Amino acid sequence: MFHVQLGDRKRTQDALRVASSFFANGLERFAAGELHEALALFEQALAVNQKYLESTASGNILCYNHIAAVHDRLGNLGMAFAYYERARVGLSSPRIPDNEANFLARRKRNVMLKHVQQKLEKIPRTHEPKV
């Protein structure tokens, strides 16, 4: 049983390293103005993160935020709004992953929440997704 747990932990760590690599490459593409490539990389990072992290983990929220930023730059304001809203909901959740419960992590989450709220306020209300 112990060896199975170690194997699962190693697989999770390896997968999260791959997600981190996708995300870092997405940041480079985004900075270079290669928005479609950046979007694909952020979406790949999100897919891996969602499989291995809690829904409110900062890894997921960073992906939501950057996917929203790409859509914002591409003029897809409805999609940008939807992803910023997902980030806001995750950051506003009372359920915080255990490894993000310390003071510094909570402070970073609060700063990110303010950023996301500012982005949401700038998107015209006509682009809110219909519920």
Side-chain angles (χ1 to χ4, degrees):
M1 181 71 167
F2 181 70
H3 293 290
V4 172
Q5 290 175 344
L6 280 178
D8 288 345
R9 192 173 326 149
K10 174 135 177 53
R11 254 189 308 271
T12 298
Q13 290 171 346
D14 289 347
L16 292 175
R17 271 196 280 295
V18 169
S20 180
S21 179
F22 285 147
F23 188 81
N25 289 335
L27 290 174
E28 290 174 7
R29 300 287 188 214
F30 185 76
E34 299 169 4
L35 300 179
H36 293 286
E37 294 84 354
L39 180 60
L41 288 161
F42 291 144
E43 288 172 339
Q44 288 175 316
L46 177 61
V48 174
N49 284 344
Q50 286 178 321
K51 187 172 181 178
Y52 293 97
L53 297 174
E54 292 182 46
S55 62
T56 58
S58 62
N60 288 326
I61 292 166
L62 284 169
C63 288
Y64 296 148
N65 183 55
H66 284 79
I67 291 169
V70 171
H71 281 297
D72 197 357
R73 282 223 189 139
L74 289 171
N76 304 330
L77 299 183
M79 291 297 289
F81 186 93
Y83 276 97
Y84 281 133
E85 183 62 17
R86 287 174 83 177
R88 187 197 63 75
V89 167
L91 289 165
S92 300
S93 172
R95 174 68 186 118
I96 297 173
D98 292 339
N99 64 335
E100 296 182 31
N102 64 49
F103 176 77
L104 185 57
R106 284 179 180 269
R107 188 159 190 243
K108 284 182 180 181
R109 289 176 71 89
N110 285 335
V111 168
M112 203 177 339
L113 178 59
K114 288 178 185 174
H115 165 79
V116 166
Q117 288 171 328
Q118 289 172 348
K119 291 294 189 175
L120 281 167
E121 289 171 7
K122 289 181 180 180
I123 295 176
R125 295 293 176 211
T126 58
H127 292 287
E128 288 183 31
K130 306 252 187 293
V131 182

